[in-house]
Amino acid sequence: MIKENDQIPNGALTSKGDLGIQHYDPREIFAKGRHVLFAVPGAFTPTCSEKHLPGYVENAEALKKAGVQSINCLAVNDAFVMKAWGDSLGIGDQVRLLSDGNGAFSEALGLATDTGAFGGIRSKRYAMVIEDGVVEHLFVEDDKQFEVSKAEYVLEKLK
């Protein structure tokens, strides 16, 4: 599993924007500055939709004041599902929704989990702060927990 002081690996993430599918290499988009990347087990799931993603939207301004350049949400869903999820919650451009469609990036981080018939390979719930391409803070939740990956928790650690 990736740990603090490790460099973010390369990967292939996507998002659905106004101009179609956009492709991102995490090593490139997190190479300069301070960024938050948090992951949810799945779009449209209860905790993810009611608390996790909305918490980052509500705290976006405070995170930016704490030096965060971008806030990014990752899930092992396709880019179309991620776009529909963001639209349904009205998140606007406060948080970039990144699709790890086949779970390869989550696997590379060592943060993938097999949920079996529920949804197959998914990401564990976590948050990380990345500074100049290196993991500064990593907060990985235990199964069925939602404490250390919350926006409020991450914000407190940045103060």
Side-chain angles (χ1 to χ4, degrees), residues 11-152:
L13 304 177
T14 59
S15 70
K16 169 74 175 80
D18 294 336
L19 302 174
I21 300 292
Q22 297 167 315
H23 298 269
Y24 300 97
D25 182 337
R27 185 172 280 175
E28 291 177 13
I29 63 173
F30 302 135
K32 299 230 184 281
R34 181 184 258 181
H35 308 270
V36 170
L37 173 64
F38 70 99
V40 298
F44 292 104
T45 57
T47 300
C48 306
S49 294
E50 296 165 12
K51 297 177 183 172
H52 208 171
L53 178 55
Y56 279 93
V57 174
E58 292 164 13
N59 287 283
E61 197 58 42
L63 285 161
K64 291 193 177 176
K65 285 181 181 173
V68 173
Q69 185 176 324
S70 73
I71 304 166
N72 304 268
C73 175
L74 178 137
V76 181
N77 290 112
D78 67 56
F80 297 98
V81 168
M82 295 296 282
K83 170 88 166 93
W85 184 42
D87 289 348
S88 77
L89 295 174
I91 67 159
D93 62 357
Q94 298 285 356
V95 176
R96 178 171 34 200
L97 299 178
L98 296 171
S99 168
D100 181 15
N102 63 1
F105 182 67
S106 296
E107 293 271 355
L109 293 174
L111 292 169
T113 186
D114 189 344
T115 64
F118 174 76
I121 299 298
R122 298 289 181 144
S123 176
K124 292 185 179 200
R125 186 183 303 279
Y126 67 85
M128 64 174 71
V129 178
I130 305 162
E131 176 100 35
D132 295 332
V134 175
V135 178
E136 180 181 7
H137 300 288
L138 177 62
F139 311 108
V140 180
E141 299 284 3
D142 291 330
D143 289 345
K144 300 186 184 198
Q145 295 295 306
F146 178 57
E147 296 297 327
V148 299
S149 64
K150 293 178 183 180
E152 298 82 357

